[in-house]
Structure formats: C-alpha cells, structure tokens
Amino acid sequence: SQQGEEDPQALSIQEGENATMNCSYKTSINNLQWYRQNSGRGLVHLILIRSNEREKHSGRLRVTLDTSKKSSSLLITASRAADTASYFCATYRPYNNNDMRFGAGTRLTVKP
Amino acid sequence: NAGVTQTPKFQVLKTGQSMTLQCAQDMNHNSMYWYRQDPGMGLRLIYYSASEGTTDKGEVPNGYNVSRLNKREFSLRLESAAPSQTSVYFCASSEARGEAFFGQGTRLTVV
C-alpha cells in the first residue's frame, strides 16, 4: 500500500493566497520529500526534510514534519497561477534505502 | 546534461503484445525505479534497482519484468500486455534515500 496520504485531494485558491497541503505516513522514516507534477509531466523534487528536522524553507515553500504524529505539511505562500500542479509526498520504506513510495497527491489550482 | 530519458513517449499496444520501455540516466545514480500512474492516483512502484545487477519488486510487479542492463540503463518489459496496464509509466533515479529525478513518462494504451 502507499506509504503517504495527502490531504486534501484537491484545493482551489486565488492568486496571492497561501496553500497548505498535508501528508500522513504510516511507518518510521529517514526523510520525507515533496514533489510537484505539472499536468502530463514528470515529477520535480521540491524539498527534502530529514526525520530530525522540524521545519525547512525553500523560497516560498515551507515544510514541517511532526514525527510523533507521522505527518508533514507543505505551505506555499503568495501562490501564483504557475503553482497550479499536483503535489505529492514520498517516503522510503523502513530499513530500505531504495523503496520509495508516494501518496495519491493534492491537486492545487491557483486562479489568477 | 539530459537527466533521465525514457523512450518511447507514447505507445499503443494490442492485448497480448509485448514491449520494452527504455530508461537511461546520466547522473551516475545507483538506484533506479519504475512507477506507474493511473488517473487520479499517485505513483505506484513497480520495480526498483539498488545497483547494477540487482532488482527488487515494488508494490505492483505482476505482469512486468525488468533488467538493469548497466549502471545507466533500466528497462521495463511487458510480456503480454493487458488493458489493465494502460497507464503512464515513469522511470526515476536517485542516490539511496535521496532526491529522485524523473523522466517525462511513457503513455501506454493497451487496446
């Protein structure tokens, strides 16, 4: 089964607003990653947060990780129409450096 | 620097036909992956390879075979295609537990 589950499944906001997506996972992790997928394209890596980190920033992206709740959130601030895409979280299965599983994703639509 | 290259980009097969999807990476990564993505769903891992000469089953391996030809190339074979294998297939590579780099995908339709 998939390791991570994103919430919500779909999110629609206006340009300039913030978008928050959540990811829950089932087992212990070494790190958690977020990816973006534009329609019909391959996934692009956004950010990696390690299990001993609680928060990480990259430009307009802010990722938090709560290992006690087995959850992570991705915040996109001051969203733009170009942020319209699907966003996925991914984790490696426990004790396996190469088995990476993805959640079902959040479809974000940013209206101009 | 091309990254991860998949061929073909599109393919239509008849039920029962076979084909091989090709994937090559130029980043000297040890790990390579094949995923499938169905409409409205995330990526599901078919097979992965931790290093040249090794392959392991992922979440949905049935109906597929893989070959890690060398460090650069990882191919996915459908021996007898079925309509349930209609999907978009993505190849990816990474270092262990690291950021994955994806190809642009192969859209496969089995009729």
Side-chain angles (χ1 to χ4, degrees), chain A residues 82-96:
Chain A
D83 294 327
T84 294
S86 292
Y87 293 81
F88 298 90
C89 65
T91 58
Y92 287 93
R93 298 194 81 191
Y95 314 112
N96 191 320

Side-chain angles (χ1 to χ4, degrees), chain B residues 22-70:
Chain B
Q22 308 286 354
C23 176
Q25 53 97 5
D26 61 5
M27 293 170 283
N28 204 37
H29 288 155
N30 284 308
S31 303
M32 295 188 74
Y33 313 84
W34 277 105
Y35 291 91
R36 62 176 286 174
Q37 184 177 33
D38 299 312
M41 296 186 69
L43 277 69
R44 290 186 291 170
L45 182 64
I46 305 172
Y47 272 93
Y48 65 94
S49 170
S51 62
E52 181 179 350
T54 69
T55 61
D56 285 283
K57 295 179 180 179
E59 190 181 358
V60 288
N62 291 345
Y64 305 95
N65 287 302
V66 291
S67 295
R68 184 73 182 268
L69 305 170
N70 47 56

Side-chain angles (χ1 to χ4, degrees), chain A residues 1-2 30-31 33 35 37 39-45 48 50 88 92 95-105, chain B residues 31 33 35 37 40-45 48-50 57-59 90 94-104 107:
Chain A
S1 61
Q2 292 176 314
N30 178 269
N31 65 56
Q33 303 181 45
Y35 289 80
Q37 183 182 35
S39 182
R41 307 293 297 273
L43 277 71
V44 174
H45 183 264
L48 181 154
R50 302 188 191 286
F88 298 90
Y92 287 93
Y95 314 112
N96 191 320
N97 294 335
N98 301 283
D99 186 338
M100 184 166 65
R101 304 290 176 100
F102 286 78
Chain B
S31 303
Y33 313 84
Y35 291 91
Q37 184 177 33
M41 296 186 69
L43 277 69
R44 290 186 291 170
L45 182 64
Y48 65 94
S49 170
K57 295 179 180 179
E59 190 181 358
F90 289 99
S94 76
E95 287 303 331
R97 293 186 175 176
E99 168 189 354
F101 293 81
F102 283 80
Q104 289 304 298
R107 293 186 176 275

